[in-house]
Amino acid sequence: QVQLVQSGAEVKKPGASVKVSCKASGYTFSGYYMHWVRQAPGQGLEWMGWINPNSGGTIYTQKFQGRVTMTRDTSSSTAYMEVSGLTSDDTAVYYCAREGVVPTGTAYYYYGMDVWGQGTTVIVSS
Amino acid sequence: DIQMTQSPSSLSASVGDRVTITCRASQSINSYLNWYQQKPGKAPKLLVYAASSLQSGVPSRFSGSGSGTDFTLTISSLQPEDFATYYCQQSNSSPRTFGQGTKVEIK
């Protein structure tokens, strides 16, 4: 079945980096964009950015520019998201989620984030 | 960035009630609006995409409408499994902003 399986929980010290993986199965990895979304404890959803697994192209929200790197390995159908310079504000559950995107002439049709990983808890604490 | 504002932030309702959640965008997003349901400790679940298209497998009591800046998610007859937090999210442009969420609680 279609699924995204994320790496396990991490505990990091302030200033460190964390790299979360998201392994896709059951579908053509390069055919869907991959988003990364995080949720701080008791808070709402925060979109971090996305990667086009086909081209490797990325878009990050400005808040994370220079601190977040999204990559992919098409041979293993795995997406990665690395955050550097961690602070306590980065304590959150991090999700990957795929989205189907179809070009329609001069625009695109977006199908929403229909499959999500189980989430990876990252705790930043000294 | 496009700001997404949901109302109400929370509501109490009974099983069988009709529930409507509103989402307003700070500028036109055409029909690039998705709705998600999230239960505690779980990943979000896509309910509606492109403002009004029901995701496969989602019960027909859920429906979405709207275009431009104003959108609604309606649950026609609330069921016990519908008590959760609901988020809207725009896919018109990056960053793909979410609303702050609407928590639906049992009355």
Side-chain angles (χ1 to χ4, degrees):
Chain A
Q1 73 280 24
V2 176
Q3 62 178 353
L4 299 173
V5 178
Q6 299 182 223
S7 49
E10 304 263 13
V11 179
K12 295 292 184 181
K13 294 200 180 299
S17 298
V18 67
K19 190 170 186 177
V20 179
S21 67
C22 171
K23 183 170 177 58
S25 61
Y27 73 96
T28 302
F29 177 67
S30 58
Y32 292 77
Y33 283 32
M34 192 71 79
H35 296 266
W36 289 90
V37 175
R38 77 177 187 179
Q39 188 169 37
Q43 302 301 308
L45 302 171
E46 180 176 30
W47 185 81
M48 300 178 69
W50 68 349
I51 183 168
N52 178 341
N54 192 40
S55 67
T58 55
I59 292 180
Y60 307 136
T61 191
Q62 189 164 3
K63 175 179 179 178
F64 298 105
Q65 285 280 359
R67 232 172 38 95
V68 165
T69 304
M70 296 177 188
T71 57
R72 93 292 190 215
D73 177 354
T74 54
S75 67
S76 63
S77 299
T78 303
Y80 299 91
M81 190 275 303
E82 184 171 21
V83 183
S84 62
L86 291 168
T87 72
S88 57
D89 289 342
D90 294 313
T91 293
V93 177
Y94 290 76
Y95 294 102
C96 58
R98 76 166 196 179
E99 179 174 41
V101 179
V102 176
T104 58
T106 58
Y108 291 88
Y109 192 86
Y110 298 102
Y111 286 86
M113 301 177 203
D114 67 334
V115 179
W116 293 66
Q118 81 277 19
T120 296
T121 299
V122 176
I123 297 172
V124 183
S125 174
S126 55
Chain B
D1 297 0
I2 297 175
Q3 307 302 316
M4 307 300 294
T5 304
Q6 290 182 231
S7 60
S9 295
S10 65
L11 65 91
S12 295
S14 301
V15 173
D17 284 354
R18 182 182 181 88
V19 170
T20 298
I21 299 169
T22 296
C23 180
R24 174 164 289 176
S26 60
Q27 64 189 72
S28 176
I29 57 171
N30 299 297
S31 294
Y32 291 106
L33 192 282
N34 308 313
W35 289 98
Y36 300 88
Q37 176 194 66
Q38 188 181 32
K39 296 181 179 180
K42 300 293 187 181
K45 173 186 175 182
L46 177 65
L47 299 176
V48 172
Y49 64 93
S52 60
S53 295
L54 197 65
Q55 174 66 7
S56 175
V58 173
S60 58
R61 62 181 180 273
F62 291 92
S63 64
S65 65
S67 67
T69 60
D70 294 316
F71 302 86
T72 58
L73 175 71
T74 300
I75 309 172
S76 60
S77 178
L78 198 66
Q79 298 301 300
E81 60 268 30
D82 301 336
F83 292 96
T85 300
Y86 294 83
Y87 295 91
C88 62
Q89 183 234 356
Q90 63 86 14
S91 53
N92 182 77
S93 62
S94 295
R96 297 283 205 85
T97 40
F98 287 90
Q100 81 277 17
T102 295
K103 188 173 184 179
V104 176
E105 298 176 301
I106 300 172
K107 194 172 198 177

